[in-house]
Amino acid sequence: MEFGPHLILAILEGLVQASVLTLTALGLSLVFGVMRVVNVAHGEFFMLGAVFAYGVANSIGGAPVVGFVAALIVAPLLVGVLAAAADWLILRRLDHDPERTIVATIGMLYVIQQITLMTYGPDAHPVTPPFNQRIAIPWFEFTDKGLEFYFPWGLSTTSYKLFVVAAAIVAGLGVWLLMARSRLGLILRATQLDRETALAFGIPVQRVYALTFGFGAALAALGAVLVVPIQQAHYLMGGDPLLLSFIVVIIGGLGSLRGTVLAAILIGMSNGIISVFFSPTLAKILATLLVAMVLVYRPQGLFGKKPA
Amino acid sequence: MKPEKRDNVIASRRKVLKGMAAIGAASTMPGLVPFAQAATDQPIRIGFQVHRTGIGAAYGRWYERTTNAVAKYINDNGGINGRPVEIIAEDDGTDPKRGAEVVEKFATQHKADIAFGTLFSHVVIGSAPRAGELKIPYFVVSEGHHVASGMLNRWTLQPGITDVKSQVQAMAPFVAANLGKKVTMIFPDFAFGHDHRDYFSAAIEKQGGNVIAKIAIPPTETSFTKYFAKIPRDTEVLYHVMVGPSVLTFVKEMGEFFGPSRPEIFGFIDSLEAVDLKTPGLEFLEGTYFWEGNPRYAQKNQTEYDRFYRAAVGVDDNGASIDDPRDVSTYAHMWGCWETLNVVKAGMEAANYRGPGDRAALIEAVEAMTDMAEGRDHPQGAKIFNGRTHQVFGHQYISRVNGGRLEVVHRTSIEDTFYPDEVDYTKMSF
Amino acid sequence: MAAVILLSTRGLSRHFGGLRAVENVDFDLPEGEIRALIGPNGAGKTTFVSMLCGRIPASNGQITFAGRDVTRMPAHKRVQMGIAYTFQITSIFDALSVRENVELSVQRCLGADRGQLAAASDALLERVGLLDRAEQVAADMAYGHQRLLEIAMGLGQRPRLLILDEPTQGLSDGEIADFIRLIREVARDTTVLLIEHNIDVVMALAQKITVMNFGAIIAEGTPEEIHANEVVQAAYLGG
Amino acid sequence: MSRALTFHIGAIIVLAVLQFILPVYHSGNLARIMVLAVYAMGYNVMFGYTGLLSLGHAMFFAVGMYGAGLSIRLFDMAAAPAFGIGIIASILFSLGVGLLALRTIGVAFMIVTLMFSQAIYLLILYFNPLTRGDEGFVIPQAVRQVAGFDLSDPTTRYFAALLLFAIALLGMVWLVRSRTGRVLVAIRENEERARMLGYDSWAHKLFAVVLSGTMAGAAGAAYGLLFGSVGASFAEVPFSILPLLYVLLGGPGTVIGPFVGTLFMFYLRDISSSFTDAHLLVAGIVLVLLTMYARRGIMGVVRERWAKWLP
Amino acid sequence: MMLEVRHISAGYGKVQVLHDLSLGVKAGEILCLLGRNGAGKTTLLKTIMGLVRARSGEILLEGVPLNDLPAYKVPRQGVGYIPQGRRLFAELTVAENLQVGLMTRGQGDEVLEHVLTMFPRLRERMDQRAETLSGGEQQMLATARALCLRPRVLLLDEPTEGLQPSMIAMIRAAVVELRAQGVAIILVEQRVEAVLEVADRVIFIENGRNALEATPDDLRANESLVHRYVGV
């Protein structure tokens, strides 16, 4: 493929990845920001979202669009409730101590994964996309006759992929509106800034935590529902989103939502674009080392501001 | 016609389950199975290393179904040396560490006669040294080249399924002759994929073709379009092989990428194993070609043996589970379990196997095997076993997607899969 | 003897963001003296002594200890040179026993010989009156006893300069009297810098008093001079 | 001889005797458990004694294992020098990791170690012509000889594992009673205070990382030589979680605890595997329950209730 | 009594800070707590707020026990708190900080209006982030935020710390006005002089225990009392 169309394609693919990653990482970032805990089971909530989406879409039947819309609503909700319950039953009793929480969420990761294997099984299952037209994209070249357009081989996307990008933008805006403009957002931000004072002003911090944990997980699940029509629901699919979300949240600055979105776009896009030029495994090695070095030398993240 | 057949199979499946549960106690239930002339009525214990969890779990499920079916088949026909076969399954988590522990457990705890059944090559490589030390015959069904490459030991054999090196090189003449000579390869970036890369590149060059691009995809990748973009414009044939839970995404995105103007496409069915060809998004595969270890769809000229084998495992004419037509089997691989256990049976009978003391004799008996005739024991086709390399060679199938079904268009000769020996295990001591 | 300056600072400053916690402090402490450092909350006392012992780096200025410039020296090296610091907020090894706490403070000088360590720690515990609690887990003790343990750990290091940050906070009157006796004894071979709010303690112990407010030294003198100083009175009572 | 020393030497003697008593399956398991326990003891140096929680310990194990394995595979070395190379590689590598990762604390430290470990795993895959990637490679039986002893022989293997284990165990008994060991505990309890007692906490933490990494690396090299295979799965994230699980269960900050935890978890999985595949479910539940209700682990509780003298 | 503390013991972890401490404050009364650093004054206020759990004893608001309630329900009963160091939500705007106060008991805009008339400076700064305010303005905001829940009881922890005299006067005026409105006020202070001007009663706390109760007049008459318990 020529360089120009190749790049466009990498960007389009990167956008789709970045969209899903943004939602997933926003969930992780929110939980870290408000509760100051790292949720290692985040990837499993992503996986659960996909598996529930398959379950819902499959049991409803009828036109794919009906099942998909139902999954879009039910799966994140279910996952959110599950996660909130886990917070209430487990993490609350650990006082949300950061290190103990990490260990407990590692345990949760295994439990969720194993239960999914025992019930849903080891196979990957697809969810039929509600619509999926291939959209060829024209490219141009300069010939003797001047500028000419043509359709290069492989330069295309699908309507569903565009929908994923749009949906992620809408959901992202929704999260932003919620955080910046709503009462609930105010409560979350106040809790994030000063837990004790929030408590002294009547904010039920423990419930806010459970809600946040649930909401964070639901965001991951939403990302997963969007992605299952492209990929499949599989009980081991949570690993990569977790690692990538980690990377994004750290690069973006722990707890900063704006940084998270920026970093998700950066990482999602570069994942697509770097692999155009380098070995993808090498790209992953470099990305992991970059994250480690960012933590070592710039713990506030690339986009985070320096603590006073 | 069909419904009745189906009922039969369900009935026999029930019997399988019941039978399996009862096998331990079989000897105390006279009349159920005729194990009359046995010297001992103790069952032959087959340690079955199965991927129930981990990335191999989807394959493992079907391996287990096939293994249970072949055990029933053997028992229904009088067992081995008149003794029933008992399958002792242990999950290895598709993990080499646990694999080695499981082999130890078979050898020392379960007192199994042999260990059997592993698919994923890293588990084989992790487990084989322990099998060698514990001197327990280790029959793998992994299609990896690691056995014939000489990396392992005299106790490890692969008598049921042809290895990747053979499969791949046998494809090259057909590809070069019918599809094109400029090939782009897409393969997973780990050992299995590298075997494809290396052996096919060499084979196609012998046919006057060449590989113009080699695109490695990292394991755990979930999105593939960006790799397709690296396919050179002058590619005549796209050669693809993919494994893991993302195979459907891989194939779907391939379709979306090419749209209406695709090159010839030749793939290993691994890319679609356990995936329904009628899944939306796969329509573009119409007219493309696949290697199949064993044809998933019952062919017009289906042999009696394939029909028998299908029914025994509980698979319909489309290669899916009879219970659930959406549950597509790993048909191109799992027959290896069926044939391997039949080889074990033949070997044990040739060696007059009585117990662990005869393990070396069993190995020697299998090493002495050469021709294996097509039949109920070998429903996939005739085979030639090479005792020096511990590797079997057999026919390979090339199928074309036609009306949403895979139709066999070419069956390679066994000789197409031969290559010079790289090891002589028979010279090693036990 | 009083002429030998053990510790001095020149132009010592520390800024937190825009806040000037300590600004341009010149300070001299002669060897063998007990010096009290007083001042209202937020005057910068703790920040100042934290810079002396190296817990926080100075933004500007210079610290000299025993004739060496220690401004950039890491904390543990300064401690090895003989600066011991007891924390304002009790800082002990909660989960360890009282004896283990003290042993940790003496083993740096003594090495890990068990017998010697035990003897030295018991002597110290005896001195602060905690010997009968030696086996207790440190966190289980009353606050006052924890403060005494903290002081014992300070002494265990055999410092040349002992910095005590509000050592009597939370002690009862009886304990305070014991504390004063203890410090007098210690001061025979150790220089003491004492941050203290309890004026009785200051008056009883200090040979000289330094008063800080808003990050700067506003007065320095004998207890009598300071008591009479109007600026000091104003700073305290917030007039 | 102190009670603590007697107890641990006694444990080693019991293990030596067990080899002659136990059925071969269990003595085989025990050999494996002892090697893994060295890995866990190394983890305990950082986590249990110094308070540094690493999520990437598999990298140290893998560096030791590949250090030894690749010397054999690529340079045809003998087992003993290869083992030495594995250890040297672990020392150098853990020194490098320590110098970088110790610039962070708490959660950041956990993630940095996780990321380094992931990078090592990917590097093993990336250099597959050398390492054979995910498949790994076999260390041939012929090479696994040290001073005339065949390491693949079950008895030799058992005693080789026991030797390594005994060195690590007695070394730990000595360490935790030494001056350095006590400073490590002081750092775990209150780093600021330790620093203000004149201890160089940075140097001590670095020592803990290097010792911990070297023990893990020694375990990795030994594992490869004793069991004959080297593979990338020893560098994967779940293998980093294992020692955490072992130590949490056995008792962080106790010398024998990591062994007890390894023994328990190993048999928990082995026994549960005969009636369910859900051993990971068990592991997950154990992790959650341990963090919620039993942070001291088995030996921690034993020490608290019955044996205060246990180091 | 509007708020009554009976025989409270409380602390952090294994350390007990308050020992059997009792006190009460009436509606329209200012009770000042004096004592040295670490005497337990801040811990007492936190215990009333439920932020530190009382181990024994009772806290009653108009006879109804508070200490069984989860912490977040205490302010909802009408207990306002101005913590030491102000503890504003630094990255929230002035308006948002006030909004948090209004939410506590579901107060509407008229309360906000009322509070803003007390602190007109804040009205000009509504969209500014709290961390950008000057020290005095921050204290105004902390006070205004607490008033937004229309407290029946107001707890102030060293509200004049680090402020210039004009600001101190303003805070003092606000406190006096609240007393006139019938709010029960507990004021923790270091500056004895500031205390003497507004207090109705003074209680000294020493080592977490009641040490002495006095009126401002007693204290003016006997300076050595102050000296003994506050240490100046």
Side-chain angles (χ1 to χ4, degrees), chain A residues 3 54 151 187 195 206 235 249 251 261 285 292 308:
Chain A
F3 180 74
Y54 169 76
F151 288 92
I187 289 176
R195 163 189 174 149
Q206 296 296 353
Y235 86 106
V249 170
I251 301 270
V261 172
I285 295 172

Side-chain angles (χ1 to χ4, degrees), chain A residues 4-305:
Chain A
H6 194 167
L7 194 64
I8 297 289
L9 190 74
I11 290 171
L12 280 171
E13 286 300 303
L15 265 181
V16 177
Q17 277 209 354
S19 305
V20 177
L21 187 54
T22 303
L23 293 182
T24 314
L26 266 180
L28 193 68
S29 176
L30 198 68
V31 168
F32 184 84
V34 175
M35 305 167 64
R36 298 282 138 185
V37 300
V38 176
N39 176 15
V40 183
H42 196 65
E44 302 316 304
F45 291 124
F46 179 89
M47 178 273 283
L48 274 186
V51 168
F52 286 160
Y54 169 76
V56 170
N58 222 31
S59 59
I60 283 190
V65 67
V66 179
F68 179 76
V69 171
L72 210 50
I73 298 162
V74 177
L77 210 64
L78 267 179
V79 171
V81 170
L82 259 176
D87 175 76
W88 195 255
L89 293 176
I90 299 170
L91 305 186
R92 184 172 59 105
R93 298 183 188 195
L94 305 177
D95 277 335
H96 296 96
D97 172 82
E99 297 198 351
R100 292 171 73 195
T101 300
I102 289 198
V103 179
T105 51
I106 290 173
M108 281 159 58
L109 175 156
Y110 286 145
V111 171
I112 295 172
Q113 212 175 68
Q114 190 68 41
I115 291 180
T116 310
L117 172 66
M118 288 160 68
T119 51
Y120 171 81
D123 299 299
H125 294 288
V127 169
T128 315
F131 45 84
N132 197 28
Q133 282 77 40
R134 182 176 191 271
I135 301 169
I137 296 166
W139 191 244
F140 56 86
E141 59 187 353
F142 294 98
T143 61
D144 331 336
K145 294 172 219 155
L147 192 64
E148 274 196 10
F149 287 93
Y150 72 107
F151 288 92
W153 196 31
L155 183 51
S156 70
T157 186
T158 68
S159 53
Y160 182 76
K161 284 183 176 174
L162 294 179
F163 165 76
V164 170
V165 176
I169 292 173
V170 170
L173 282 176
V175 172
W176 177 75
L177 274 178
L178 178 88
M179 287 304 286
R181 294 292 148 88
S182 77
R183 236 174 106 96
L184 181 63
L186 182 59
I187 289 176
L188 291 181
R189 284 183 293 149
T191 310
Q192 166 165 5
L193 290 169
D194 189 335
R195 163 189 174 149
E196 191 178 73
T197 308
L199 206 52
F201 279 87
I203 294 176
V205 168
Q206 296 296 353
R207 286 189 213 172
V208 169
Y209 278 6
L211 184 89
T212 307
F213 202 72
F215 185 57
L219 275 176
L222 180 64
V225 178
L226 288 175
V227 92
V228 265
I230 305 176
Q231 297 165 9
Q232 288 89 52
H234 182 254
Y235 86 106
L236 289 174
M237 73 192 294
D240 250 29
L242 175 70
L243 215 60
L244 281 175
S245 301
F246 258 18
I247 293 177
V248 162
V249 170
I250 289 162
I251 301 270
L254 290 165
S256 145
L257 294 187
R258 195 175 314 156
T260 302
V261 172
L262 275 174
I265 295 169
L266 180 81
I267 298 286
M269 299 291 286
S270 61
N271 215 345
I273 296 169
I274 290 175
S275 52
V276 171
F277 304 104
F278 295 106
S279 142
T281 308
L282 189 62
K284 275 191 179 166
I285 295 172
L286 294 177
T288 344
L289 287 177
L290 173 73
V291 171
M293 290 308 157
V294 164
L295 268 174
V296 169
Y297 290 102
R298 213 185 135 80
Q300 71 275 25
L302 283 185
F303 303 119
K305 58 177 180 196

Side-chain angles (χ1 to χ4, degrees), chain B residues 167 170-171 174 266-269 289-296 299 301 303 306 332 335 339 374 378-383 394-400 407-413 417:
Chain B
Q167 294 167 0
M171 296 298 105
F174 179 87
F266 177 87
F268 266 62
I269 195 69
Y289 296 83
F290 280 98
W291 164 89
E292 288 194 282
N294 196 19
R296 176 191 294 182
Q299 301 294 312
N301 60 350
T303 61
D306 184 61
W335 57 274
E339 298 206 359
E374 186 169 14
H378 296 281
Q380 188 261 0
K383 308 257 163 356
H395 298 285
Q396 306 299 317
Y397 296 89
I398 296 172
S399 304
R400 183 170 183 276
E407 284 183 4
V408 175
V409 293
H410 181 68
R411 182 190 200 225
T412 70
S413 72
T417 65

Side-chain angles (χ1 to χ4, degrees), chain C residues 55 76 79-80 85 91-93 95 103-104 107-108 114 117 150 157, chain D residues 177 179 182-183 185-186 189-190 192-200:
Chain C
R55 282 179 65 216
H76 64 92
V79 177
Q80 285 166 13
Y85 175 80
S91 178
I92 52 176
F93 303 110
E103 281 178 353
L104 272 165
Q107 79 164 24
R108 186 174 51 75
R114 295 225 133 230
L117 269 186
E150 176 102 50
Q157 301 171 63
Chain D
R177 287 140 50 101
R179 176 193 150 112
R182 290 142 67 90
V183 175
V185 171
E189 289 299 312
N190 189 340
E192 172 87 350
R193 177 75 260 190
R195 210 150 46 94
M196 296 315 296
L197 287 179
Y199 298 113
D200 186 344

